[in-house]
């Protein structure tokens, strides 16, 4: 046999080579993991020739390398991204991301300023060091995010090692990144004028508030249930602008601070650097979307929203479906409550009716119900009346909020926050200070409440929940269509010094764990969406993922804590394909060092043997590695068939090596064959079997032919 060559411990070397090769592959794969390209609707020059001409003009003026793709996305803002092909290495691709909502809101002149700002990040005219810091920071952040999302052992190890380095680099480069934002503003101002740049910054800063107010005040969740961000923005912008409301929104934005880690300076600082005084934007006669897309605006909005939906992972789709079910259930409940006249409804029925009406149809529709509650001196009624009136610009709402503050409790803190925000938006900082003092006085109490409801520690005392069975039933209905959820536990946290505090935790166990589970960003997004759905049922319940929580056994031991268990999955349709894909990943990991081993043996072929046999073996092995790598990049029918072809051919090659040379790798055949447990979902099983058989016979034939050529 080939491993018994006299004087050469080839078997020991081969085993060591495979082990080291596997480790090297894992390391290389971690450092060359590719960030997926931005998702959205890719624009061709023929779709908007004038827009591409504008980008070309700005590229030339700012001395920027060519842009590879222009993509419409569902985000509110625009952006310019550079992505290396292989993690931290390889060629760079540059993308311009244009948020469809922003194109619907800004004028063509403001869009020119926005593009000039984004391309200014890539221009070296503003300073080579700043441009370098911007690019390196962006590349490392994306690389670490990708590593963190890939929940494997090696990727997690490198994410921890380099994450520590990145924390230092992020802090030291933060100032440079902010200076880069100011430099990009100035570059845009030099091309488009300071006033136009300032108007674009203000309009984009206000856009989110305009859309959120339209949903919260006049539309509710029902009107936007089936639409995406582009359609929501288009509908919201059709409402006439209220100059007083725009001024209040601008004051509120100017008084706010950027989120932690946001490299964009506050709006006031950016306007001051441009030398332009803040002012509400004037109405846009014709949006940039109408200018550059013409009659295709609605079509492109639909495509952007569809791409946004397609970017959801399985868990997010399930949660959205659960929210739709919740909307249907809430609508039916509201219809039942509406059958009872307002003056005959109980306080709890009226409160529930007001909350459902606001959630489904907007705050204005719920205002009469809150007024009826206020007439009965219910704090939630005074709070609802006060904040709705303030949202409409009616200062009389302050009197209602003052009454809630006098009553005290958590609603009093919320009322003080609403009043403070309104007066800041009004520009009346002197009166706003009074409410700020109230908030500061109650900050400790609010912190205790939020701390008790926002964190679950292993040393916390947990008891059985005391929620109504009907409410628990509503919670379990939410999970029926959320397939990643395996089990859910509901417990109550006891706060020693606040026994009256109601803090409930819904501990969710996802069906997969460790690196065999969902990617980290999917877990976070799914938990967040679950929290949104649960909050619509009760705002006293916090959703937490306990897959890796050390106190999970303690939660499970609480009597009556288990409120939901998912039905068993169909093994053939759901379980086997999932494990088959993981087995194909293992096959790929084994195939890479196996191929490298043969490359080494071919390079050191003994004299007298036919050298043509080497390429006959190595070329198919390289093709098998390429096919397996491609197959694991997606989960459509073609990739599943490709995975079966790769596994079948690899099994055939290994079997042929055993028949001809007695190669020991044949012992790995049962492991390799596990990759066959991933049949195509939409193809007949007989087709899958024929594909595997043909690939295995082809691999066996190639190996037998290579042996005949080798020995002559």
């Amino acid at each position: 046999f080939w491993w018994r060559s006299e004087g050469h411990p080839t078997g020991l070397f081969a085993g060591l080579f495979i082990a080291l090769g596997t480790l090297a592959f894992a390391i290389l794969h971690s450092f060359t993991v590719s960030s997926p390209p931005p998702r959205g609707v890719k624009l061709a020059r023929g779709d908007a020739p004038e827009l591409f001409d504008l980008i070309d003009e700005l590229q030339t003026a700012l001395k920027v390398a060519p842009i590879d793709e222009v993509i419409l996305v569902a985000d509110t803002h625009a952006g310019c991204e550079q992505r290396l092909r292989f993690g931290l290495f390889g060629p760079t691709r540059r993308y311009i991301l244009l948020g469809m909502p922003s194109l619907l809101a800004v004028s063509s002149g403001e869009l020119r300023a926005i593009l000039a700002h984004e391309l200014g990040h890539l221009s070296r005219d503003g300073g080579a060091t700043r441009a370098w810091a911007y690019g390196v920071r962006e590349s490392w952040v994306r690389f670490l995010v990708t590593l963190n999302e890939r929940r494997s052992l090696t990727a997690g190890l490198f994410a921890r090692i380099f994450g520590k380095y990145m924390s230092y680099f992020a802090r030291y480069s933060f100032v440079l990144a902010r200076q880069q934002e100011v430099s990009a503003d100035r570059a845009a101002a030099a091309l488009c004028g300071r006033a136009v740049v300032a108007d674009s910054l203000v309009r984009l800063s206000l856009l989110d508030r305009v859309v959120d107010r339209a949903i919260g005040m006049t539309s509710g969740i029902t009107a936007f249930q089936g639409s995406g961000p582009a359609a929501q923005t288009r509908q919201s912008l059709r409402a006439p602008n209220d100059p007083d409301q725009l001024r209040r929104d601008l004051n509120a934005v100017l008084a706010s601070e950027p989120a932690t880690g946001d490299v964009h300076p506050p709006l006031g600082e950016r306007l001051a650097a441009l030398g332009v005084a803040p002012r509400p934007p004037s109405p846009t006669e014709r949006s940039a979307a109408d200018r550059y897309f013409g009659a295709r605006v609605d079509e492109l909005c639909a495509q952007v929203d569809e791409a946004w939906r397609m970017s959801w992972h399985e868990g997010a789709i399930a949660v959205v479906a659960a929210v739709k079910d919740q909307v249907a259930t809430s609508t039916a409940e509201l219809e039942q409550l509406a059958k009872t006249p307002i003056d005959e409804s109980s306080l709890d029925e009226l409160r529930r009716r007001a909350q459902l009406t606001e959630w489904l149809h907007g705050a204005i529709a719920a205002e009469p119900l809150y007024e009826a509650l206020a007439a009965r001196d219910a704090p939630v009624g005074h709070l609802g009346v006060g904040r709705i009136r303030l949202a409409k610009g009616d200062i009389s709402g302050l009197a209602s909020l003052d009454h809630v503050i006098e009553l005290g409790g958590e609603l009093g803190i919320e009322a003080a926050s609403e009043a403070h925000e309104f007066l800041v938006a009004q520009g009346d900082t002197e009166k706003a200070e009074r409410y700020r003092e109230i908030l500061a006085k109650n900050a400790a109490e609010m912190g205790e409440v939020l701390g008790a409801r926002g964190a679950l520690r292993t040393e916390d005392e947990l008891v059985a929940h005391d929620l109504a069975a009907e409410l628990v039933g509503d919670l379990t209905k939410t999970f029926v269509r959320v397939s990643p959820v395996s089990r859910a536990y509901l417990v109550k946290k006891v706060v020693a010094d606040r026994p009256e505090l109601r803090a409930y935790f819904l501990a969710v166990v996802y069906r997969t764990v460790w690196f065999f589970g969902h990617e980290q960003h999917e877990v976070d997004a799914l938990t967040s969406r679950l929290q949104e759905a649960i909050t619509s049922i009760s705002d006293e319940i916090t959703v937490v993922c306990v897959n890796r929580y050390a106190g999970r056994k303690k939660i499970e031991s609480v009597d009556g804590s288990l409120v939901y268990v998912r039905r068993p999955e169909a093994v053939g349709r759901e379980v086997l394909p999932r494990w088959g894909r993981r087995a194909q990943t293992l096959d790929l990991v084994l195939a890479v060092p196996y191929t490298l081993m043969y490359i080494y043996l071919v390079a050191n072929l003994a004299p007298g043997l036919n050298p043509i046999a080497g390429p006959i073996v190595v070329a198919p092995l390289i093709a098998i590695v390429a096919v397996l790598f491609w197959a694991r990049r997606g989960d459509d029918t073609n990739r599943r068939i490709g995975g079966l072809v790769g596994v079948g051919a690899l099994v055939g090659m290994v079997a042929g090596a055993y028949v001809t040379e007695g190669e020991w790798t044949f012992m790995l055949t049962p492991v390799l064959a596990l990759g066959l447990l991933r049949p195509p979902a939409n193809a007949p099983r007989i087709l899958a079997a024929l594909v595997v058989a043909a690939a295995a016979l082809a691999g066996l034939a190639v190996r037998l032919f290579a042996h005949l050529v080798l020995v002559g």
Side-chain angles (χ1 to χ4, degrees), residues 137 141 166 170-171 173-175 177-178 181 257-265:
R137 180 188 176 95
V141 167
M166 187 58 196
R171 286 197 294 269
S173 62
F174 185 82
V175 176
R178 280 213 161 176
E181 293 293 335
E257 290 293 329
T260 303
D262 187 358
V263 298
H264 294 86

Side-chain angles (χ1 to χ4, degrees), residues 328-514:
T329 303
S330 299
T331 301
E333 182 182 357
L334 180 59
E335 291 175 354
Q336 187 65 31
L337 290 171
K339 293 179 180 179
T340 304
I342 293 178
D343 54 353
E344 297 179 10
S345 300
S346 67
L347 202 61
D348 288 339
E349 290 174 341
L350 196 54
R351 175 185 57 80
R352 181 63 173 165
R353 181 176 172 183
Q355 291 173 340
L356 289 176
T357 301
E358 181 174 5
W359 186 56
L360 293 171
H361 306 297
I364 293 179
E367 188 174 10
L369 299 171
Y370 283 118
E371 290 175 345
L373 284 166
R376 302 186 190 185
D377 206 26
V380 67
H382 291 292
L383 176 62
V385 170
R387 59 183 174 78
I388 293 173
R389 288 180 180 176
L390 293 186
K392 295 191 297 184
D394 184 356
I395 200 169
S396 66
L398 287 175
S400 297
L401 297 182
D402 285 337
H403 185 65
V404 179
I405 294 172
E406 292 175 2
L407 296 176
E410 294 180 32
L411 293 182
I413 299 174
E414 184 179 348
S417 178
E418 293 280 350
H420 177 265
E421 183 178 345
F422 172 78
L423 290 172
V424 168
Q426 284 284 93
D428 194 343
T429 56
E430 184 176 349
K431 291 183 179 179
E433 182 64 19
R434 169 177 170 262
Y435 294 99
R436 190 197 66 79
E437 292 175 355
I438 295 175
L439 286 172
K441 181 180 179 181
N442 294 280
E445 179 182 357
M446 177 62 79
E448 290 179 6
V449 173
L450 295 178
R453 290 181 177 171
L456 187 62
R457 296 181 293 270
T458 55
E459 63 270 17
D460 288 335
E461 180 184 355
L462 303 177
V463 298
H465 70 84
D466 53 2
L467 297 176
E470 182 181 354
L471 189 146
V472 176
D474 291 339
L475 294 177
T476 56
K477 290 178 183 178
T478 304
F479 295 120
V480 171
R481 298 181 64 178
V482 186
S483 58
V485 176
S486 173
R487 296 184 301 282
Y489 300 86
L490 182 61
V491 294
K492 181 179 181 180
K493 176 180 174 180
V494 177
V495 183
D497 54 345
R498 296 286 300 276
E500 78 285 355
L501 184 62
R502 295 166 61 86
Y504 300 93
F505 285 86
L506 192 61
V508 175
V509 180
Y510 294 120
R511 65 184 179 188
T512 49
V513 296
W514 199 40

Side-chain angles (χ1 to χ4, degrees), residues 231-246:
Q232 293 173 9
T233 302
R234 191 156 177 76
Q235 181 175 341
S236 300
L237 293 176
R238 287 173 178 159
N241 289 326
D242 180 356
D244 292 335
Q245 184 61 59
L246 288 177

